[in-house]
Amino acid sequence: MKSKREAVQMKTLKKILFALAIGILLIWALFPIFVMITISFKNKFEIMGTKTPIWPENPIITNYIKMWKTVPLLHYLKNSMIVCFATVGLSLLISVPASYAMSRFHFRGKDTYSVMVLATQLFPGIIMLLPIFIMYSNFTALTGIPMVKTLHGLVIAFATFGVPYSVWMLKSYFDSIPNELEQAAMIDGCTRAKAMMKVVMPLVLPGIIATAIYVFLLAWNNIMFTGILADQSTRTFANGLQEFSSENGTEYGQLMAACSVTTIPLLIIFLMFQKQFVGGMTGGAVKS
Amino acid sequence: MKKSRKTNPYLWILPSFICMSIIQFFPGILSIFMSFTKLDVSYVRRPFEAPFAGLGNYSRILQPGTSLGNSFLTSLMITIGFTLASTILGYLIGLLEAMLLNQPFKGRAVVRAVFLIPWIVPTIVSAFCWRMIFLRDFGILNKLLLSLHIIDEPIFWMIGSNAFLVIVVARVWASCPFIMISILAALQTIPTEQYEAAKVDGASAWQQFRYITMPGISAVSKVVILLQFIWGSGEFTIPYAIFNQTPPKEANLISVLVYSNTFSTWDFGGGAAVSTIVLSIMLVLSVFYMRAAMRPSTDD
């Protein structure tokens, strides 16, 4: 009898510990988001006060209205959107054929190529920043095509940064699709390219979406390259956020409101595509 | 067979090859070249005419007393410590999350989605959130600790060795979803029968972990740890944004050091030398790690 009761007690204890661990980790994951949203609804006195509670006592929405005037956010948002979508498009255009070839064809130099793809991951961003700045400047001097301080300059750099990981992720997606599908289409008279577009692409769409989200975030997150390669007119949103700090102090409420405005749409999109995204991340990054 | 001979695989990889060569490999090589020259702002338009400096930039960096020399070694140590600490902590939290999620329970899908949220929050946004949390006077953490009477005086989180803690916490938060989801995927490939059989044989929870779970996730873990190490060592946004562009020396990671030094003094040669040293260290460490952790794999 006693041992049975002990076993039941053990089980309850385990359950409590389990719930506790989940609870703590949930708070850990959500805490910064909670801080961001609550502060965005606070007025200056509530933010700067040392004795005020951590939630907004008198929620206001002025931060969400004023922020557009304090910093030309709409302009930066437009720049970011152009850069990010163009980056995703270009990056996929480059990495889809490459990853397909990696998955389907055997060719001389394939191993060298895949080492090359992996080796790019070793380069810290900072090592490429100065040379790219110099290369862009010289390209402009030679051809007259502006590169520094342009949106397409950013797109070319970010799209390339996205390529290696995208090739890696997409390759494993193509690996999971049986080759017989294209063979059948090709017997019916399709070319390899056509078979890929018509038959395989719809099946790897989840992988494409996951890759697209990854590349989008890569471009969206960057402040190192945009800080140097962009100017006032081509500045992106992530960089623009820093403008809430000036000599007169930081507009914390507006900063958090601007952060919320960018993050919440991303979160909604992510939750919608969560399944594909998870599949894509694990399919590409980890293949044991 | 005829059809497949028509398609030339090199054409398929050519665009990616060209892009990576021009935007990643050439700049990498150019950077190494620059590190041996006295390249400053006057040579930006003619980088190959910059005077040769030999090892001048390197000796300048490694010599205390110069502006770069003073900060370089500290920054290097901080970067290594930061990378190690955040990789280990991130791995442990990610592992815990994955193991919890591998159990069936009500609301598991929701919990998993919440655990993944940090992955999607832009790093710059989370960095600003951490600043709001760790500020001394009206930071949320001090407010919370004061109101719970855990501390009597607000703590200076953003200066001294606490600043190091702040960037580690921010990095761990941002990196654990990737680690979690990678390990979870591996955990789910372990057949549950193995655990049942072990239980029948009377294996303890630790033994089950040691002899079933650990072998099942070791391959994934090695890759994930390597990636975290490489990505962590290049971290820029977290210290740069949390400390409003001027981190204290305890949080001044190499990327920030090179960035702020190069573009304020236009000392491209010195910056390139720092980058080259870091790249070499990472290269050596990665190769060493791969030799030790991963046996040469035979898969394609």
Side-chain angles (χ1 to χ4, degrees):
Chain A
M1 276 310 278
K2 205 183 170 192
S3 68
K4 205 172 181 185
R5 226 173 84 190
E6 260 173 18
V8 171
Q9 277 177 344
M10 259 317 260
K11 228 175 186 175
T12 335
L13 186 70
K14 257 189 192 165
K15 263 190 186 160
I16 291 171
L17 278 177
F18 188 84
L20 201 67
I22 295 268
I24 291 171
L25 288 168
L26 284 178
I27 293 174
W28 157 250
L30 286 173
F31 192 58
I33 314 287
F34 166 81
V35 168
M36 174 181 83
I37 294 171
T38 50
I39 291 180
S40 75
F41 289 109
K42 285 181 184 176
N43 64 37
K44 258 194 183 135
F45 300 104
E46 281 186 72
I47 296 171
M48 305 295 238
T50 41
K51 292 277 187 288
T52 46
I54 59 171
W55 58 86
E57 276 184 309
N58 309 298
I60 51 156
I61 55 160
T62 12
N63 290 327
Y64 285 90
I65 299 162
K66 276 190 180 162
M67 63 180 194
W68 304 100
K69 283 246 171 92
T70 314
V71 172
L73 274 185
L74 210 60
H75 180 67
Y76 296 158
L77 202 60
K78 199 186 83 195
N79 285 342
S80 267
M81 285 295 177
I82 295 171
V83 169
C84 291
F85 281 110
T87 300
V88 169
L90 184 60
S91 204
L92 287 177
L93 208 64
I94 298 166
S95 51
V96 166
S99 53
Y100 183 80
M102 288 282 283
S103 168
R104 289 293 192 265
F105 304 140
H106 291 282
F107 53 91
R108 202 190 250 261
K110 189 172 161 182
D111 288 345
T112 318
Y113 175 76
S114 72
V115 168
M116 178 182 168
V117 169
L118 290 179
T120 57
Q121 293 296 300
L122 272 177
F123 291 7
I126 193 76
I127 202 173
M128 290 176 286
L129 177 59
L130 320 177
I132 288 180
F133 178 76
I134 291 178
M135 281 163 60
Y136 276 12
S137 307
N138 281 291
F139 185 77
T140 307
L142 282 173
T143 62
I145 302 167
M147 291 301 283
V148 178
K149 298 175 186 175
T150 63
L151 295 178
H152 61 261
L154 294 174
V155 170
I156 291 170
F158 293 155
T160 310
F161 296 156
V163 164
Y165 201 77
S166 304
V167 169
W168 202 6
M169 268 168 86
L170 287 169
K171 176 190 173 293
S172 73
Y173 259 94
F174 285 124
D175 283 346
S176 69
I177 310 288
N179 202 3
E180 287 77 45
L181 285 176
E182 295 116 282
Q183 306 276 316
M186 280 154 69
I187 287 166
D188 290 347
C190 279
T191 60
R192 180 59 94 157
K194 213 170 170 191
M196 184 196 92
M197 288 306 291
K198 287 254 163 82
V199 182
V200 188
M201 285 298 270
L203 293 172
V204 291
L205 197 64
I208 304 267
I209 292 171
T211 313
I213 296 179
Y214 161 79
V215 176
F216 186 93
L217 281 176
L218 179 144
W220 185 271
N221 269 331
N222 197 298
I223 59 167
M224 192 203 276
F225 281 79
T226 49
I228 299 299
L229 297 180
D231 65 354
Q232 181 66 31
S233 68
T234 52
R235 189 163 295 164
T236 55
F237 194 86
N239 247 290
L241 287 176
Q242 294 172 323
E243 288 179 25
F244 283 104
S245 298
S246 65
E247 298 108 55
N248 310 324
T250 303
E251 291 285 352
Y252 288 110
Q254 294 181 33
L255 173 65
M256 289 293 111
C259 285
S260 306
V261 161
T262 48
T263 309
I264 290 163
L266 282 175
L267 283 178
I268 293 170
I269 295 169
F270 165 68
L271 292 174
M272 276 161 53
F273 289 109
Q274 201 214 122
K275 244 187 174 162
Q276 287 87 334
F277 191 61
V278 169
M281 292 316 302
T282 52
V286 251
K287 253 191 88 203
S288 38
Chain B
M1 279 321 276
K2 253 186 207 163
K3 284 257 159 66
S4 68
R5 206 175 295 156
K6 258 190 189 169
T7 49
N8 183 348
Y10 297 107
L11 279 180
W12 294 61
I13 61 164
L14 190 68
S16 67
F17 183 80
I18 292 174
C19 280
M20 287 191 290
S21 302
I22 295 177
I23 302 289
Q24 297 187 294
F25 284 98
F26 182 68
I29 294 162
L30 190 60
S31 186
I32 296 170
F33 166 79
M34 278 160 55
S35 71
F36 295 108
T37 64
K38 286 195 186 112
L39 201 128
D40 57 23
V41 70
S42 55
Y43 291 103
V44 164
R45 285 287 157 81
R46 43 199 175 108
F48 296 107
E49 291 168 28
F52 189 63
L55 292 171
N57 290 321
Y58 290 93
S59 68
R60 193 155 53 91
I61 292 165
L62 298 169
Q63 209 170 58
T66 58
S67 70
L68 249 184
N70 276 337
S71 29
F72 172 67
L73 283 176
T74 324
S75 180
L76 184 65
M77 289 303 148
I78 292 289
T79 306
I80 293 172
F82 164 82
T83 311
L84 282 176
S86 57
T87 303
I88 294 169
L89 277 176
Y91 181 78
L92 291 177
I93 295 180
L95 176 66
L96 178 65
E97 287 181 341
M99 289 186 56
L100 292 173
L101 284 176
N102 202 33
Q103 318 285 326
F105 63 91
K106 229 189 232 169
R108 180 162 72 163
V110 178
V111 173
R112 193 185 72 173
V114 173
F115 283 179
L116 282 172
I117 282 177
W119 177 269
I120 224 72
V121 174
T123 321
I124 178 112
V125 167
S126 66
F128 283 132
C129 295
W130 290 113
R131 193 204 293 181
M132 299 310 299
I133 291 169
F134 284 116
L135 281 172
R136 175 180 174 266
D137 287 331
F138 47 93
I140 302 297
L141 184 63
N142 274 346
K143 270 188 190 179
L144 216 59
L145 293 176
L146 282 170
S147 65
L148 293 171
H149 299 289
I150 297 173
I151 54 171
D152 301 321
E153 282 288 311
I155 295 173
F156 287 96
W157 293 108
M158 307 273 280
I159 52 175
S161 52
N162 282 340
F164 177 78
L165 206 74
V166 167
I167 54 171
V168 170
V169 167
R171 170 81 198 163
V172 168
W173 187 83
S175 63
C176 57
F178 174 78
I179 300 169
M180 179 270 282
I181 206 69
S182 306
I183 298 176
L184 183 61
L187 283 176
Q188 284 170 349
T189 61
I190 302 174
T192 44
E193 293 81 35
Q194 287 193 12
Y195 289 104
E196 279 153 24
K199 266 184 212 156
V200 171
D201 292 343
S204 68
W206 166 249
Q207 282 170 326
Q208 287 177 38
F209 178 76
R210 175 68 190 81
Y211 295 105
I212 303 174
T213 312
M214 267 173 62
I217 59 170
S218 75
V220 165
S221 300
K222 283 168 190 170
V223 177
V224 165
I225 288 171
L226 179 65
L227 282 176
Q228 288 304 321
F229 194 79
I230 292 170
W231 292 341
S233 66
E235 182 61 60
F236 172 81
T237 307
I238 285 175
Y240 193 75
I242 292 183
F243 296 99
N244 200 10
Q245 309 183 11
T246 48
K249 69 178 198 302
E250 290 83 0
N252 203 20
L253 299 180
I254 285 285
S255 295
V256 183
L257 174 78
V258 174
Y259 186 90
S260 43
N261 188 72
T262 310
F263 288 98
S264 62
T265 63
W266 297 96
D267 171 18
F268 282 61
V274 173
S275 306
T276 306
I277 293 178
V278 175
L279 179 67
S280 327
I281 294 174
M282 287 311 295
L283 208 64
V284 170
L285 286 179
S286 304
V287 169
F288 191 68
Y289 175 87
M290 282 193 276
R291 281 269 165 86
M294 299 162 197
R295 274 186 242 126
S297 64
T298 43
D299 65 283
D300 52 47

